[in-house]
Amino acid sequence: AQKVTQAQTEISVVEKEDVTLDCVYETRDTTYYLFWYKQPPSGELVFLIRRNSFDEQNEISGRYSWNFQKSTSSFNFTITASQVVDSAVYFCALSEASRDGGSQGNLIFGKGTKLSVKP
Amino acid sequence: EAQVTQNPRYLITVTGKKLTVTCSQNMNHEYMSWYRQDPGLGLRQIYYSMNVEVTDKGDVPEGYKVSRKEKRNFPLILESPSPNQTSLYFCASSFKISQQQEAFFGQGTRLTVV
């Protein structure tokens, strides 16, 4: 069965610390897609990244980086030199190609990790 | 501007009074879906639609209805709301997965049923 686990419910760090948010997924599909979304206190969902199962290359975007490892079914997210504006709930999500015709709109979300960055 | 628009943003209603939350997208996406977000549970899919006149149940469909008469609109209907449907609701739309696009989310609708 498909499942996304974000074991860290809440994390609190001080500004400029690095922080890693963990995401472990379960799927029987060989083709799937992984996502990270940010939900700031204002409530909207902000897309951060999408990764295909056949592309294990890690990605860096400014202070954000993602480590995708199929061997451990993990897709971890690291924020370097955290800032107060990074405070939000972060969701990891999975979409399976074989489900409902392969549309990525059917996202399976983890329960989220609330990150608090204190000045 | 490409967007998914939900209305209303906030709604307080009473048990049993039918309500509709509207969702509209201007990106010509085939796929649309509804999620509810509850503390400690993350987001769970309620219903989805792969195209006009094609809808199917997600993980938590009980107490909800949807329709997809036009490609751009996907309203969520609560025929007889109950307090356990108090939640934050999100509409999302996307192209099919092969077109390398992410899902776009609306701003959310915070519903309280008293």
Side-chain angles (χ1 to χ4, degrees):
Chain A
Q2 61 281 357
K3 187 179 177 182
V4 175
T5 301
Q6 295 180 255
Q8 304 147 310
T9 306
E10 292 193 41
I11 300 175
S12 183
V13 299
V14 176
E15 213 170 15
K16 296 183 184 171
E17 281 186 32
D18 299 346
V19 58
T20 295
L21 310 182
D22 297 333
C23 173
V24 174
Y25 62 92
E26 295 176 31
T27 178
R28 282 178 286 194
D29 274 22
T30 54
T31 301
Y32 53 89
Y33 303 82
L34 296 164
F35 303 80
W36 276 95
Y37 282 86
K38 173 182 180 180
Q39 186 177 44
S42 50
E44 73 271 23
L45 285 164
V46 179
F47 167 79
L48 295 178
I49 190 171
R50 160 196 161 129
R51 216 73 189 131
N52 305 332
S53 55
F54 42 86
D55 180 5
E56 280 193 78
Q57 201 169 15
N58 291 330
E59 181 150 341
I60 298 174
S61 176
R63 295 184 297 107
Y64 295 171
S65 61
W66 290 269
N67 183 357
F68 177 27
Q69 292 199 345
K70 287 178 77 170
S71 60
T72 55
S73 297
S74 64
F75 186 44
N76 297 336
F77 172 32
T78 297
I79 302 174
T80 303
S82 59
Q83 299 176 2
V84 173
V85 293
D86 295 326
S87 296
V89 179
Y90 291 86
F91 290 99
C92 180
L94 163 73
S95 178
E96 296 172 320
S98 65
R99 193 172 176 191
D100 62 67
S103 175
Q104 67 167 321
N106 187 12
L107 295 166
I108 301 152
F109 283 86
K111 294 182 180 179
T113 297
K114 182 178 181 180
L115 174 65
S116 298
V117 181
K118 301 189 187 316
Chain B
E1 180 190 354
Q3 58 185 4
V4 178
T5 303
Q6 290 178 232
N7 279 297
R9 293 288 310 280
Y10 302 91
L11 179 59
I12 301 175
T13 190
V14 296
T15 299
K17 186 177 181 183
K18 181 179 178 180
L19 67 93
T20 299
V21 183
T22 63
C23 175
S24 181
Q25 51 94 4
N26 61 1
M27 295 167 279
N28 202 34
H29 286 162
E30 298 97 352
Y31 194 101
M32 296 184 75
S33 56
W34 278 101
Y35 295 84
R36 61 177 287 174
Q37 181 182 1
D38 301 290
L41 296 177
L43 283 87
R44 294 175 293 168
Q45 191 181 55
I46 303 170
Y47 266 95
Y48 63 92
S49 169
M50 293 172 63
N51 217 322
V52 175
E53 301 294 358
V54 180
T55 64
D56 209 343
K57 296 177 181 178
D59 297 317
V60 287
E62 294 77 20
Y64 304 95
K65 285 175 56 177
V66 293
S67 69
R68 188 91 181 271
K69 294 186 171 60
E70 306 164 283
K71 197 171 188 179
R72 62 183 291 125
N73 296 322
F74 190 46
L76 179 69
I77 303 156
L78 285 73
E79 294 270 4
S80 182
S82 61
N84 65 13
Q85 293 178 298
T86 293
S87 188
L88 177 59
Y89 291 87
F90 286 99
C91 179
S93 74
S94 66
F95 289 115
K96 284 188 178 289
I97 200 165
S98 59
Q99 293 180 265
Q100 303 288 311
Q101 295 273 341
E102 79 273 14
F104 289 78
F105 283 85
Q107 295 281 76
T109 295
R110 190 167 291 282
L111 171 66
T112 302
V113 183
V114 298

